Amino acid sequence: MTIQAVPVPAPSTRRRARRIPVVPLLGGAALLAVLVCVVSGAALAPQDPTAQHPTLSVTGPGPGHPLGTDQLGRDVLSQLIAGARSAVIGPLAVAVGCVLIGVAAGMAAAYFGGVVDTVVNRFADLVYALPALLIAVVVVGVLGGGYWKTAAVLLVLTIPFEIRLCRSAAQVQVRQPYVDAARTLGLSPWRILFRHVLPNIVPTVLATFLLDFVGALISFAALSYLGLGVPAGTPDWGSMLAAGQQLITENPWLSIAPAVLIIITAASATLLGDWAHERLSRGGERA
Amino acid sequence: MPIVVFLLKRLFGVIVIVLVVSFLVFSLLALSPGSVVATLLGNRPSTPDLVAALKAKYHLNDPFLVQYWHWLVGVLHGDFGRSTQSGATVTSVIADHLPVTLEVAVYTLVLVVGIGIPAGMLAGIRWGSRFDKGVSALTVFGMSAPGFAVGIVLVYLLGVKVALFPVYGAGGSSPVDRIEHLTLPAIALAFGLIAIIVRQTRAATLNVMRQDYVTFARARGVSPTRILVRYALRNTALPIVTSAGLLLIVAISGAVLIETVFSLQGAGQLMVQSVTAKDVPVVQGLAIFIALFVVVVNLLVDAAALIIDPRTRVAARS
Amino acid sequence: MRTNAHRVRTPGSRAGTALAGLVAVGLFATGCTGSSGGTHGGQATSFTFGVGAAPISLDIAKDFDGNIMQIMALVTEKLELISSNGDLSPALATSVTQPDSTTLVYHIRSGVTFSDGTPLTAQDVAWSLQHMTDVKAGAQTAGNVPSFQSAAASGPLQVTVKLKRPDPTARQNLAVISFVQEAKFGAAHQKDLGTAAAIPIGTGPYQVSSDTTQAVSLTRNPHYWGPKPPMSKISFNVITGGDNTSQLAMRSGSIQGTLVANLKTASQWQAVKGASLYTLPALTTTFLTLDISSGPLSDVHVRKAIAYSIDRAGVMAAGYGKYASLMRGLAPAGVLADVAPSVQEAEAFLAALPQYDLDPAKARSELAQSAYPHGFSLTIPYVQDAPFSQLTVENLAQNVKPLGVTIKLKAITTQQWIATIYAHGKGLGVQTMELIPPVPDPGAVLGVVTGKPNIRPQGFNLANWSTPQVEQAFTQLTTSVDKQTRWRAAQTLLTAIADDVPYIPLYDPDTVAVLGNGFSFSRALTLFDLDVNGTWASALKTG
């Protein structure tokens, strides 16, 4: 009898398996579009996203500005395209880093227990308990601000959540018979964790990955007044969202457009992730 | 008695952590830019005498460790000091701001557990159905949308269209008034976490439903509800309890955005305002309280984990 | 991880943006169900005003902020009222005499009682003045009257104030900070005066009936000596969500008045049914400071090139809509009003000063004449969301790019900004600055940013600028009591600033109040009426 992870059940009818997956495809296309913007940056934008026209401050859609302008008269559409880069890369780094470290630590804590568990948990407790703003302020004060320092700060602040969630999800798996069986067979702990436990906690991991991504995106803008995040004048979805709040009747697109893009990006990633997970689990089932 | 030993060990850990946090926070405050005196005087005219007087009043000329020691001794005698800004006792300041935060946290927890778990379970049981697809789509949206942006939409729908809920403030002391005022903040706070809980619950429920013993139970004629309660609920309890713990922690220490938007003068706003103004006694007092809270909540969650599933009591050993 | 927007806290200032810096998300919906405001039609007796942040203390010495003053001026009255051109009129002091240049004698009104029934005596006044100028206790108001030496009761209804030296603005500043409260109560509650447990007792038309983190409520003072105020109850509700939330609150009737936080939203406010906007002329002075002591900024041509690279009119419109005016010199005309022969003359003088507006050609030619014709680089800190700060430097950075000048923008918090300015350290470079003169007197602006004595920590001569001619004018402005001499000195200083460009004047934003739900003001008000004198409440009327 082969040892296998307990899979998350997937559609089992053959007919369904042959149907074109419309939704994941759309998601993939959307993500691709965003990625193109990320790579190309301002090159794809119809106008220079940093060109200011203060007299055109916060006007709605009109000739030359399909989505209107922001407070200094910069074109919103161009800023959206140019802003994809800073909006995606940093938060993505934070989310990926969080997952890598958090999942590993969480699973280790669940599996090994004892000292490892205690250390991991106390570390998480400590980070929760320290006021986040204070940490951010001190980092800026001592090390200076900047995009990647922000990513590092956010990474440290978000890891405890990842750890606790992954740990509890892993705890459920670790007590399953297949883990005992694997251990009896002499598989190394890391092999057990990554080949067998991890696939089963993917739904949790994916969910927290998305939340981390969106949360980091917002936080980049939220912390900008401290000198963290993107510097002023650099287009960024989060900053546009923040700046547009009070100006929502003058030019609603200033807030709505970046919000929609954030949702589309994150939702596409989720849908793709779900679909990929289902496909891969199905593969496992057949083995 | 393993439970007692466990509790004692953890309690010791609580004290250590709280002490460490208090020292770390004090150090961080000392490192943070800006000065208490500058904050108090602002860009207003002042004189060297005034500056010197303020420095003496707040012991700013003492060495760092001496200042920390003063504070620690005070705390051990139960005196958390007074706010440098208003002169009110730190305990009264915290007491003014904490209840709202706790109420929102509890309300949010009720929403998350009350909506998330049944929805997730139902989606898991009725796997593949329209309900399941709908719920899954909503979780995707829930995790993708920035919480406060969704809050805006909700308020627009429930406000402009139908004036159901108040939009700012925490309301008076009557429970009905409070609940009315705190509903929208609670929903806004609950958004992302409900999505996670639904997904976890659904995944765990699916797991359970596929097991042989469930098929066997159904073959025996055991009702789905019974199956749900006896098997699914217990198996999903662990991640749910953890998420509940996390939610409480987030609500206490990280809900500043919600508090600003809805004009709730809660602990989050207090922390931000005090850190910004370098109001050391208040920041220290609040940080201690939060540290205590965080550690106790995690303690309860871990204790609950032990109770819920005896198998977790045996740590895996290679 | 999340924080909220910041507030610039200066005397008589508006809560432009609330404290701490995050997305202050506005909401679009109707506000509280259940109105807590006045009745419509009929006899309205209660009024609710929205304030942008919770008061830290109700003792002005601990929280010298315009919002708090707006509340407490109704409770603890002043000795004198001050108008927007510096004229003083009696309040609790029926008359003031100045036997010599360092003595002020206040004659206190008789028959006045505090809200708890105790009669007002000279002792209460003397104690209150000491309290507000108490350097040892760190009173935030003490710096306004640095020449203050002592205040003592010299008769049952007479108080003598002695100054350390002749000070042309002492009486005016005392009019601003002399919140008179009951001495016995104040002295008995030294530690927590101003908290909800120990609210100052005053003689004003109102008394504080409740003080929570969400709202401060005032009810009529039955012992008030003057005419009964129109509203029997005034509440100040804390709304931290920004203009959008305040608009919702007004739409739903939960508040009847507030100040516009972000002037760009004024047109949204006008769209609120029944709302009327009142522009309160303010004396806010915003400007850029250029540290001439080192680097490229020591070259006057560089400074002029910078001055020619800011689209002041454009940024002003972008940041404040039409609710601001361009400053033609480093002082708004209103501040010169009490030394100039007339406001018109002050305005004419300012208009004749050299002006610097966006002119790329001139900027280029100035830079070519400087020691840095190929450009240089500079880091400029800014405070987020403050139009005079963020928008201005963003605009500057963009406009100087073609000249080869690279400006790196650095965001700092309000606290850091205050701390930097306050510390007056080395390498200030370009700073964005805002001054709100507590009295309409040029000394409050020009006497603060010029002069060798102000080149020091806690001194605001951030340009480190001094010439013999300027020093002489500075001394005259700050010590002479002759109006003509001071006017001439002010003119000298303003001309020198315009020629040498150590400071680049920017904008003077208005303060805009909104009243709705049937309320309006019965007469034109200024910011002094609102924040300093407490006379705004008597101007409230319904219909």
Side-chain angles (χ1 to χ4, degrees):
Chain A
M1 188 169 128
T2 44
I3 309 294
Q4 43 179 298
V6 178
V8 173
S12 52
T13 62
R14 286 226 188 101
R15 281 191 69 197
R16 273 210 200 143
R18 272 209 287 263
R19 212 210 267 147
I20 301 169
V22 173
V23 173
L25 211 60
L26 282 176
L31 264 188
L32 198 63
V34 171
L35 274 166
V36 167
C37 288
V38 170
V39 168
S40 73
L44 263 188
Q47 301 181 27
D48 178 7
T50 59
Q52 298 176 8
H53 314 279
T55 41
L56 286 177
S57 168
V58 199
T59 51
H65 301 287
L67 289 177
T69 57
D70 75 352
Q71 194 152 32
L72 278 174
R74 294 175 286 217
D75 181 40
V76 170
L77 179 60
S78 308
Q79 288 204 308
L80 278 181
I81 295 174
R85 183 176 284 181
S86 65
V88 168
I89 294 189
L92 194 64
V94 172
V96 166
C98 239
V99 162
L100 289 179
I101 301 176
V103 166
M107 287 201 302
Y111 186 84
F112 295 112
V115 174
V116 176
D117 196 25
T118 313
V119 166
V120 165
N121 280 331
R122 297 293 81 78
F123 167 73
D125 283 351
L126 202 64
V127 177
Y128 283 144
L130 292 175
L133 177 65
L134 191 53
I135 296 176
V137 164
V138 171
V139 165
V140 176
V142 173
L143 298 172
Y147 192 70
W148 291 107
K149 297 210 184 77
T150 317
V153 169
L154 289 178
L155 182 65
V156 169
L157 291 174
T158 322
I159 282 183
F161 296 92
E162 192 78 35
I163 289 181
R164 294 286 294 190
L165 278 174
C166 293
R167 175 179 166 269
S168 78
Q171 273 181 329
V172 172
Q173 294 303 315
V174 152
R175 56 178 172 72
Q176 299 275 8
Y178 74 87
V179 170
D180 279 328
R183 237 183 303 121
T184 331
L185 275 187
L187 293 179
S188 80
W190 291 108
R191 184 126 187 249
I192 299 176
L193 286 177
F194 281 99
R195 276 219 62 180
H196 300 287
V197 174
L198 181 57
N200 286 308
I201 61 171
V202 164
T204 310
V205 172
L206 190 61
T208 53
F209 175 82
L210 265 316
L211 277 182
D212 289 342
F213 174 75
V214 175
L217 206 151
I218 302 301
S219 300
F220 264 83
L223 293 173
S224 58
Y225 81 105
L226 289 176
L228 293 173
V230 275
T234 318
D236 174 62
W237 293 351
S239 321
M240 290 167 71
L241 188 54
Q245 294 305 329
Q246 297 292 324
L247 304 168
I248 205 146
T249 52
E250 323 273 329
N251 183 9
W253 294 107
L254 192 49
S255 274
I256 293 179
V260 166
L261 276 182
I262 294 171
I263 294 176
I264 289 180
T265 310
S268 307
T270 317
L271 289 172
L272 272 184
D274 274 346
W275 177 76
H277 180 244
E278 276 180 21
R279 288 295 305 265
L280 293 173
S281 327
R282 234 184 294 151
E285 224 180 333
R286 278 200 286 271
Chain B
M1 303 197 58
I3 298 285
V4 173
V5 171
F6 165 80
L7 277 176
L8 277 176
K9 272 167 62 175
R10 290 298 289 265
L11 271 170
F12 176 70
V14 166
I15 298 175
V16 170
I17 286 235
V18 169
L19 232 85
V20 169
V21 165
S22 80
F23 187 72
L24 276 178
V25 170
F26 196 80
S27 319
L28 286 174
L29 274 171
L31 279 174
S32 68
S35 79
V36 177
V37 181
T39 304
L40 288 172
L41 294 177
N43 58 341
R44 292 186 274 276
S46 62
T47 62
D49 287 341
L50 191 50
V51 173
L54 281 173
K55 281 200 170 143
K57 184 173 172 191
Y58 297 115
H59 305 289
L60 296 175
N61 296 317
D62 290 344
F64 168 76
L65 283 175
V66 172
Q67 292 184 40
Y68 179 69
W69 182 249
H70 275 312
W71 176 83
L72 193 59
V73 167
V75 167
L76 290 173
H77 283 102
D79 175 19
F80 281 82
R82 287 175 176 272
S83 157
T84 55
Q85 296 180 88
S86 67
T89 55
V90 169
T91 37
S92 71
V93 169
I94 296 182
D96 279 340
H97 289 83
L98 210 43
V100 173
T101 307
L102 285 173
E103 286 160 15
V104 172
V106 168
Y107 195 161
T108 311
L109 192 61
V110 165
L111 284 179
V112 169
V113 168
I115 298 179
I117 298 180
M121 282 199 173
L122 213 52
I125 290 173
R126 304 240 181 115
W127 174 81
S129 71
R130 287 237 286 254
F131 179 81
D132 179 32
K133 288 199 160 66
V135 165
S136 299
L138 274 177
T139 61
V140 170
F141 180 71
M143 291 183 304
S144 317
F148 70 86
V150 176
I152 297 180
V153 171
L154 262 180
V155 167
Y156 186 75
L157 291 177
L158 292 174
V160 173
K161 302 298 178 186
V162 183
L164 260 184
F165 294 107
V167 166
Y168 78 94
S173 41
S174 86
V176 175
D177 206 19
R178 269 290 148 108
I179 292 180
E180 234 192 359
H181 276 87
L182 297 182
T183 302
L184 287 183
I187 293 179
L189 202 51
F191 217 73
L193 217 63
I194 288 186
I196 283 201
I197 288 227
V198 165
R199 280 179 74 98
Q200 284 190 324
T201 315
R202 179 179 172 277
T205 310
L206 280 174
N207 248 353
V208 165
M209 297 310 277
R210 275 309 206 90
Q211 299 297 323
D212 288 342
Y213 58 82
V214 169
T215 320
F216 185 47
R218 287 167 88 171
R220 275 187 298 144
V222 179
S223 79
T225 328
R226 193 117 190 270
I227 295 176
L228 203 64
V229 172
R230 274 218 65 174
Y231 300 116
L233 201 53
R234 284 198 87 188
N235 285 299
T236 60
L238 199 54
I240 287 167
V241 168
T242 310
S243 305
L246 283 180
L247 169 65
L248 280 177
I249 289 167
V250 167
I252 297 289
S253 49
V256 187
L257 174 60
I258 302 292
E259 288 179 12
T260 310
V261 165
F262 292 98
S263 292
L264 305 171
Q265 315 307 320
Q269 273 205 333
L270 178 63
M271 179 59 93
V272 164
Q273 203 274 333
S274 308
V275 166
T276 316
K278 259 190 135 166
D279 190 341
V280 175
V282 173
V283 176
Q284 289 281 107
L286 196 54
I288 290 215
F289 178 85
I290 290 178
L292 209 61
F293 185 80
V294 163
V295 172
V296 165
V297 165
N298 281 335
L299 181 83
L300 289 176
V301 166
D302 289 341
L306 291 183
I307 294 173
I308 290 173
D309 194 338
R311 284 176 288 186
T312 53
R313 296 179 203 166
V314 181
R317 298 252 182 275
S318 309
Chain C
M1 212 179 302
R2 277 128 190 184
T3 53
N4 43 8
H6 59 272
R7 168 174 82 173
V8 176
R9 300 180 59 227
T10 44
S13 86
R14 282 299 93 207
T17 35
L19 200 71
L22 176 110
V23 175
V25 172
L27 305 161
F28 267 118
T30 54
C32 278
T33 51
S35 155
S36 56
T39 57
H40 302 293
Q43 198 58 34
T45 57
S46 86
F47 175 80
T48 308
F49 197 85
V51 289
I56 292 170
S57 173
L58 291 183
D59 178 15
I60 307 293
K62 295 204 178 73
D63 193 4
F64 191 10
D65 180 273
N67 285 329
I68 319 298
M69 288 166 67
Q70 182 188 356
I71 303 174
M72 290 311 284
L74 297 173
V75 175
T76 45
E77 288 183 294
K78 308 298 189 56
L79 289 174
E80 293 188 283
L81 301 180
I82 185 166
S83 78
S84 60
N85 46 12
D87 298 330
L88 296 165
S89 52
L92 277 185
T94 48
S95 64
V96 183
T97 52
Q98 273 192 270
D100 60 62
S101 60
T102 57
T103 313
L104 288 163
V105 180
Y106 289 88
H107 302 272
I108 313 296
R109 188 177 297 268
S110 66
V112 177
T113 44
F114 287 103
S115 53
D116 66 351
T118 7
L120 170 71
T121 65
Q123 196 46 42
D124 296 301
V125 175
W127 186 90
S128 302
L129 288 176
Q130 298 274 28
H131 177 71
M132 299 307 283
T133 54
D134 192 348
V135 170
K136 281 224 170 55
Q140 295 183 12
T141 37
N144 276 46
V145 195
S147 56
F148 183 90
Q149 188 177 55
S150 68
S154 49
L157 285 174
Q158 195 187 73
V159 172
T160 303
V161 171
K162 294 218 77 73
L163 304 172
K164 289 184 205 154
R165 55 178 181 274
D167 182 347
T169 60
R171 188 172 155 197
Q172 288 177 322
N173 271 302
L174 282 174
V176 171
I177 65 169
S178 57
F179 291 88
V180 173
Q181 52 171 303
E182 193 187 303
K184 202 170 73 168
F185 183 84
H189 292 90
Q190 291 276 29
K191 278 221 178 100
D192 52 359
L193 189 62
T195 65
I199 299 172
I201 298 177
T203 58
Y206 291 93
Q207 55 185 337
V208 179
S209 59
S210 93
D211 173 24
T212 69
T213 52
Q214 298 204 78
V216 177
S217 297
L218 307 177
T219 50
R220 276 196 196 118
N221 172 10
H223 299 281
Y224 182 53
W225 58 272
K228 199 164 93 160
M231 299 296 128
S232 69
K233 180 167 155 136
I234 300 185
S235 282
F236 295 86
N237 288 4
V238 179
I239 302 182
T240 55
D243 283 299
N244 286 346
T245 315
S246 307
Q247 280 161 22
L248 298 177
M250 189 170 279
R251 271 187 227 261
S252 74
S254 118
I255 61 170
Q256 291 83 48
T258 187
L259 292 176
V260 176
N262 181 344
L263 290 169
K264 277 292 270 196
T265 63
S267 52
Q268 284 172 249
W269 276 106
Q270 261 153 354
V272 174
K273 197 151 152 272
S276 22
L277 271 60
Y278 296 89
T279 309
L280 304 171
L283 300 174
T284 314
T285 309
T286 59
F287 51 101
L288 294 182
T289 73
L290 308 166
D291 181 6
I292 68 167
S293 61
S294 64
L297 294 173
S298 55
D299 187 327
V300 66
H301 293 291
V302 167
R303 298 200 293 275
K304 288 191 176 169
I306 290 178
Y308 281 124
S309 302
I310 306 176
D311 184 1
R312 294 194 308 156
V315 174
M316 188 177 81
Y320 302 108
K322 52 183 174 77
Y323 292 95
S325 39
L326 274 181
M327 285 180 47
R328 306 225 158 272
L330 196 67
V335 138
L336 299 171
D338 75 336
V339 296
S342 69
V343 179
Q344 287 82 358
E345 216 178 297
E347 281 172 0
F349 172 74
L350 288 172
L353 285 173
Q355 298 294 317
Y356 299 87
D357 283 300
L358 181 65
D359 194 330
K362 282 211 185 121
R364 197 176 283 277
S365 82
E366 285 288 345
L367 197 63
Q369 292 173 53
S370 77
Y372 303 83
H374 302 294
F376 52 90
S377 71
L378 205 56
T379 302
I380 303 184
Y382 67 92
V383 174
Q384 197 184 46
D385 290 340
F388 75 88
S389 196
Q390 180 171 8
L391 294 185
T392 307
V393 297
E394 271 193 79
N395 184 259
L396 173 65
Q398 185 71 10
N399 292 336
V400 292
K401 271 195 196 149
L403 299 175
V405 177
T406 319
I407 292 184
K408 186 161 162 255
L409 297 176
K410 187 172 113 142
I412 57 175
T413 62
T414 310
Q415 300 306 321
Q416 268 177 293
W417 170 68
I418 288 175
T420 313
I421 286 174
Y422 185 82
H424 197 138
K426 296 249 165 294
L428 281 170
V430 178
Q431 298 285 334
T432 56
M433 182 65 175
E434 184 191 48
L435 269 186
I436 298 173
V439 293
D441 182 272
V445 177
L446 297 170
V448 156
V449 299
T450 59
K452 272 230 191 71
N454 286 320
I455 301 181
R456 60 173 172 91
Q458 291 95 54
F460 296 135
N461 185 346
L462 298 167
N464 296 320
W465 177 68
S466 172
T467 73
Q469 189 202 27
V470 164
E471 287 309 312
Q472 196 192 34
F474 166 78
T475 314
Q476 284 174 337
L477 182 66
T478 49
T479 55
S480 165
V481 291
D482 175 48
K483 204 168 118 149
Q484 287 249 7
T485 317
R486 299 185 76 223
W487 170 230
R488 274 200 304 274
Q491 288 177 298
T492 311
L493 289 172
L494 285 168
T495 314
I497 290 173
D499 288 332
D500 216 18
V501 198
Y503 301 109
I504 301 177
L506 296 172
Y507 336 103
D508 176 11
D510 294 327
T511 302
V512 178
V514 189
L515 288 184
N517 293 317
F519 283 84
S520 55
F521 283 127
S522 58
R523 57 173 193 274
L525 296 178
T526 68
L527 194 61
F528 285 93
D529 290 314
L530 189 74
D531 275 357
V532 176
N533 297 331
T535 43
W536 64 278
S538 58
L540 280 175
K541 72 178 200 320
T542 48

